[in-house]
Amino acid sequence: MVTFKEFFSFKNNRFFWLNLIAMVVVIVAAAWGTLQWLDSYTRHGEAVVVPDVKGMNLRAAENELGKQSLKSIVIDSSYVKGIAPGAILEQNPSGGSKVKSGRTVYLTVNADSAPKVAIPDIMDNSSLRQAEAKLRALGFKVTEPEYISGEKDWVYSIKYRGRDLKAGEKIPYEAVLTLMVGNGNETMPEDSTLVDESGTVSDDKPMIDESWF
């Protein structure tokens, strides 16, 4: 029977101890290698500051981001009046953020021209108040209305740069529109009858008194 002391004796169990030591070395080496790989893969401790490229043109923005080993992708466009076409409006992550090298920064650029919006069906279909509310909600600007003969405050047509628009026609966002509105003085339709001073209605042809003949 092997005693406790003999079991742990290196001299008597040399093969067992060598295997045990080898296993420990392998486990430690594997653990160390895994940690090194994870550290390299996640670039632990390596961070760069995202430059603020808002307001720059696209090419300049791409150059600035490239200096920090960052990529860039344009994901959207919008239109802001007074800002140069192609200028950066938004970025994500924002300027000043700390990110890993190689991160992609998503950009929104200013469109070359204002988007076009369809005219709603409000001609001869809406009051002045309703028409103005609908047009302003779509981004259009409305001038003082021009009054014409017709039902009071009833919209008969819309003018843009001197021409009449049709429902569904697309014109630039923020375009200035003029509404042609009735002034309450409806014109008398042409009739085949005449009304004399006494208020009686007669034919438009004059009556001939046959007693003269």
Side-chain angles (χ1 to χ4, degrees), residues 188-207:
M188 287 287 292
E190 293 185 2
D191 200 355
S192 59
T193 59
L194 297 174
V195 181
D196 59 22
E197 294 180 358
S198 63
T200 59
V201 179
S202 62
D203 270 290
D204 54 354
K205 295 181 180 180
M207 298 296 294

Side-chain angles (χ1 to χ4, degrees), residues 53-62 74 76-91 107-113:
V53 296
K54 290 175 65 174
M56 297 183 183
N57 62 53
L58 181 58
R59 179 168 294 182
E62 289 174 338
V74 176
D76 198 7
S77 65
S78 186
Y79 178 76
V80 178
K81 190 175 181 180
I83 296 181
I88 306 301
L89 298 176
E90 297 292 340
Q91 64 177 95
L107 306 174
T108 299
V109 301
N110 196 34
D112 293 338
S113 59

Side-chain angles (χ1 to χ4, degrees), residues 8-20:
F8 285 98
S9 171
F10 182 78
K11 182 177 180 181
N12 296 330
N13 296 284
R14 180 177 301 176
F15 182 76
F16 167 77
W17 284 107
L18 288 175
N19 282 320
L20 183 62

Side-chain angles (χ1 to χ4, degrees), residues 33 52 54 63 89 96 105 156:
D52 186 358
K54 290 175 65 174
N63 290 337
L89 298 176
V105 178
Y156 289 96

